[in-house]
Amino acid sequence: MKMKRKLILSLLAMLLPISAWCADGDKFSVTVESITFWFSVLSEDSKTVQLFNDNKAAVENPTTTVTIPSSVENEANTYTVTQIGQRAFQNVSGVNEIILPSTITKLDNNAFQNCSNLQKLEIPAGVTNIGKTVFSNCRNLKTLSVASENSTYDSRDNCNAIIQTSSNTLIQGCAGTTTIPGSVWTIGQNAFNGLNLTEITISDGVQTIESNAFNSNNINNLVLPSSISSIAPAAFPNCYINVTITDNAIYEAIGNCIIEKGSKTLIAAGKNVSAIPEGVITIGQQAFQNASSSTLSFSSTVKQISGRAFQNCKSTTITLNEGLETIQGNAFQQCSNLNSILIPTTVKSIGSNAFVDAGKNSNSFTLELPYTLTSIAASSVFGTTNTYPTISYYVKPAKEYTSFACPQDVDFSGATGLKAYVASGFDASAKKVSLKEVTSAKAGEGIIIQATAGTKYDLALATAADNGTNLLVGVTADTAIEPTDGSNTNFLLSDGQFKKAQAGTLANGKAYLQLPTSAAARAKSLGITTEGDVTGIININLDEEDDGMIYDLNGRRISETATKGIYVKNGKKVII
């Protein structure tokens, strides 16, 4: 009997229609009134789907107004549409309005990105999750609201924006004109990213502006109230703004720039800024991104340029200030109109890719580096995409004679009016150092330069020859130095002579003379002569430590005066 019952049930099952089923993640399309929608199954058990971008938009053949269905049929199954998936409407043009069903609970990242003609959209009451940059670059979105029944988001005071109710954070604004209520505490990250925002009123009560909040906008008049207490780095990149700040304890507007008073950081530059205001210490991240001024000069107070500060800046000439110390990574990336830039002698650090694609339009960008800059490879500055940049070093001596050491091999032959020497020998009896003229120097090699004080000399990068014996020791980083170093005695160049070193720090880019203590222990200063030319004596002030020795004018020590005349005793000329 049981066997018969099982057989009957099996036959009935075979005769009944079989309902097809999908697995989670399966995709299918549905056409509604000539518009084709593409869906992905979120849960087969709960029969929910999302509009889905499978390397193409989730909607085909859209009309100016697109109404998304609340449910769809597939293989005799009914699915509820609960989500707008990532990039579902990305780059869909021609749509002016999108009507979302009440079943929607989530708008995923970039859901409507680059919908260039989208003008109107309302967030249904059931939406509890809105992703990042959902409406980025929707430059014509001028009407944006949230259903009044929504408990997660609101559009209070008809502000034409989406506000997260619990945190009072404006997470999405729209194009055109917007008034942000004072009950909003925070303007969120990317809130107005890529929108055609021309007029905005920020009411007193708003406290925080997060990064990229106003990215890529042309705001005619931006007034920041006294309540603003925090502006994140890169809050206004790619913006063309006219800014006013009223009675704010933390920020001020100088020269159409937003400046944090305490740190003296320039947060954002407005329209037509051609000079960094005096007093600014740091240029903030992306502060001048896409700035259009053809020329830009720095004030004397700037110490640091932050990452991407001038990215894609249109300037052809940028004049940096002496006193600048740090240029962070990508600082001048894609400044394609730059012809050249002179790095001040005070700069100690340049970050990676700081000038990648700089000067690309002219194809002849030149970066002039001070010889005191720490060793830097071309790839770390320009990246790997540029084939045209030229790096050169320069020296601008403060005195006629100066010591020198460069982190790269350099050639002096093209520097007209400059002479370079190595210390090729030392006459212990005469206490004289011999200098030999050279035309190049290897990386880190100690050199004495003779040149006109205050004049800039360009030095070519080239493989240097071996200069032979050289008693000078170059330093390419600040280096502690003592009067004696083991069996050696150290001397520093000062006013055309070598004087015994005192304990201290020798600056990067300098050199010192190192001699055996056995030969120079008692000398306080040493004379200098060019090799092979006795008339080339620079200074013959030979101080001994009160030993009473007498020297002739050629620096030779004598035991007694054979004839009357002029001699040197204890570093002074005497007549005997």
Side-chain angles (χ1 to χ4, degrees):
M1 189 66 181
K2 290 182 178 180
M3 290 293 293
K4 184 182 285 187
R5 185 180 298 141
K6 288 183 178 179
L7 179 60
I8 293 171
L9 291 173
S10 297
L11 290 171
L12 287 172
M14 293 175 65
L15 293 173
L16 290 172
I18 298 174
S19 179
W21 59 275
C22 294
D24 293 355
D26 281 358
K27 307 169 187 64
F28 62 88
S29 64
V30 174
T31 300
V32 180
E33 296 181 355
S34 77
I35 302 175
T36 299
F37 297 94
W38 284 90
F39 296 96
S40 171
V41 176
L42 292 170
S43 171
E44 179 62 25
D45 291 338
S46 62
K47 295 293 188 289
T48 56
V49 294
Q50 66 172 339
L51 271 171
F52 175 74
N53 184 322
D54 189 14
N55 295 318
K56 62 180 179 180
V59 57
E60 297 176 7
N61 306 314
T63 56
T64 54
T65 299
V66 173
T67 300
I68 298 172
S70 60
S71 63
V72 290
E73 300 287 333
N74 183 55
E75 299 290 347
N77 290 313
T78 300
Y79 294 88
T80 302
V81 180
T82 62
Q83 294 186 22
I84 309 299
Q86 289 191 35
R87 301 178 290 108
F89 282 82
Q90 188 179 50
N91 298 321
V92 173
S93 61
V95 176
N96 301 137
E97 182 179 4
I98 297 174
I99 300 174
L100 303 177
S102 60
T103 54
I104 294 293
T105 61
K106 179 179 180 180
L107 308 180
D108 213 338
N109 299 339
N110 312 107
F112 302 99
Q113 187 177 38
N114 298 332
C115 287
S116 56
N117 291 305
L118 180 62
Q119 299 176 16
K120 182 178 180 180
L121 188 140
E122 182 181 67
I123 306 299
V127 172
T128 58
N129 189 331
I130 297 177
K132 298 178 180 178
T133 57
V134 170
F135 298 96
S136 178
N137 293 318
C138 293
R139 300 188 67 80
N140 287 296
L141 180 61
K142 295 183 179 179
T143 303
L144 183 62
S145 60
V146 179
S148 58
E149 299 85 2
N150 192 301
S151 61
T152 305
Y153 303 101
D154 67 80
S155 291
R156 66 191 69 169
D157 300 336
N158 298 315
C159 64
N160 222 16
I162 302 173
I163 298 166
Q164 188 179 59
T165 305
S166 61
S167 65
N168 293 311
T169 297
L170 190 153
I171 65 167
Q172 182 63 57
C174 63
T177 301
T178 294
T179 297
I180 301 177
S183 59
V184 169
W185 296 345
T186 301
I187 302 174
Q189 189 174 20
N190 298 300
F192 292 89
N193 187 357
L195 302 179
N196 190 21
L197 182 66
T198 56
E199 295 287 345
I200 185 167
T201 300
I202 303 176
S203 301
D204 199 38
V206 177
Q207 301 169 20
T208 300
I209 302 176
E210 294 186 344
S211 63
N212 290 298
F214 292 95
N215 191 356
S216 302
N217 282 282
N218 187 357
I219 305 172
N220 294 325
N221 186 25
L222 176 67
V223 179
L224 299 181
S226 60
S227 58
I228 294 290
S229 59
S230 176
I231 300 177
F236 299 90
N238 306 307
C239 282
Y240 300 94
I241 58 177
N242 290 312
V243 61
T244 303
I245 301 177
T246 57
D247 300 324
N248 192 291
I250 299 174
Y251 300 98
E252 61 184 337
I254 302 177
N256 207 23
C257 296
I258 301 174
I259 298 168
E260 186 179 55
K261 294 179 181 179
S263 65
K264 303 296 183 183
T265 296
L266 194 156
I267 301 293
K271 291 180 182 178
N272 303 320
V273 174
S274 59
I276 308 297
E278 195 69 29
V280 169
I281 294 175
T282 300
I283 310 297
Q285 294 179 28
Q286 297 171 273
F288 281 85
Q289 192 173 49
N290 274 325
S292 59
S293 297
S294 60
T295 61
L296 182 65
S297 60
F298 278 41
S299 64
S300 62
T301 53
V302 178
K303 299 289 185 183
Q304 175 175 301
I305 301 174
S306 300
R308 302 184 187 277
F310 294 90
Q311 185 177 26
N312 207 31
C313 177
K314 305 304 188 294
S315 300
T316 57
T317 303
I318 296 179
T319 305
L320 306 181
N321 63 295
E322 283 291 331
L324 180 66
E325 297 175 354
T326 302
I327 300 174
Q328 292 186 349
N330 304 93
F332 294 91
Q333 181 179 355
Q334 296 172 330
C335 290
S336 55
N337 294 332
L338 273 179
N339 296 316
S340 65
I341 194 164
L342 177 70
I343 306 300
T345 59
T346 50
V347 171
K348 305 300 181 186
S349 172
I350 298 180
S352 62
N353 297 316
F355 295 92
V356 65
D357 286 335
K360 197 170 185 178
N361 288 347
S362 63
N363 219 35
S364 61
F365 180 67
T366 299
L367 180 67
E368 296 184 80
L369 301 175
Y371 77 94
T372 51
L373 187 66
T374 302
S375 180
I376 187 167
S379 61
S380 71
V381 177
F382 294 112
T384 57
T385 61
N386 292 15
T387 58
Y388 51 84
T390 300
I391 289 182
S392 66
Y393 281 88
Y394 71 89
V395 59
K396 191 175 182 180
K399 297 182 179 181
E400 181 182 2
Y401 294 95
T402 186
S403 66
F404 170 96
C406 184
Q408 302 274 11
D409 285 17
V410 289
D411 188 329
F412 302 107
S413 58
T416 303
L418 179 147
K419 291 184 178 181
Y421 303 93
V422 295
S424 57
F426 173 62
D427 185 340
S429 62
K431 297 294 188 293
K432 289 191 297 184
V433 178
S434 297
L435 300 184
K436 180 181 73 173
E437 188 172 356
V438 296
T439 58
S440 63
K442 289 188 176 296
E445 185 174 15
I447 295 291
I448 298 298
I449 283 177
Q450 180 185 8
T452 302
T455 300
K456 175 178 169 287
Y457 298 89
D458 293 324
L459 309 177
L461 295 182
T463 302
D466 186 349
N467 290 323
T469 300
N470 187 2
L471 303 176
L472 294 169
V473 179
V475 300
T476 54
D478 292 353
T479 301
I481 189 169
E482 298 289 339
T484 58
D485 179 11
S487 59
N488 297 312
T489 298
N490 300 320
F491 296 83
L492 299 177
L493 185 67
S494 177
D495 297 326
Q497 63 179 311
F498 284 106
K499 294 182 179 180
K500 183 178 287 187
Q502 302 297 314
T505 300
L506 185 60
N508 165 41
K510 296 295 185 180
Y512 63 96
L513 179 71
Q514 192 170 74
L515 298 175
T517 299
S518 58
R522 295 181 61 82
K524 291 195 292 184
S525 61
L526 304 173
I528 299 174
T529 184
T530 55
E531 192 172 84
D533 182 5
V534 296
T535 64
I537 298 174
I538 297 170
N539 195 302
I540 198 166
N541 182 14
L542 306 177
D543 289 342
E544 289 284 335
E545 295 182 349
D546 299 327
D547 58 1
M549 294 294 107
I550 300 174
Y551 301 84
D552 64 19
L553 293 182
N554 288 322
R556 294 173 299 195
R557 187 169 64 183
I558 59 176
S559 57
E560 58 183 31
T561 55
T563 59
K564 294 181 179 180
I566 300 174
Y567 296 89
V568 176
K569 182 177 181 181
N570 292 331
K572 298 180 181 179
K573 291 180 180 179
V574 295
I575 298 175
I576 298 177

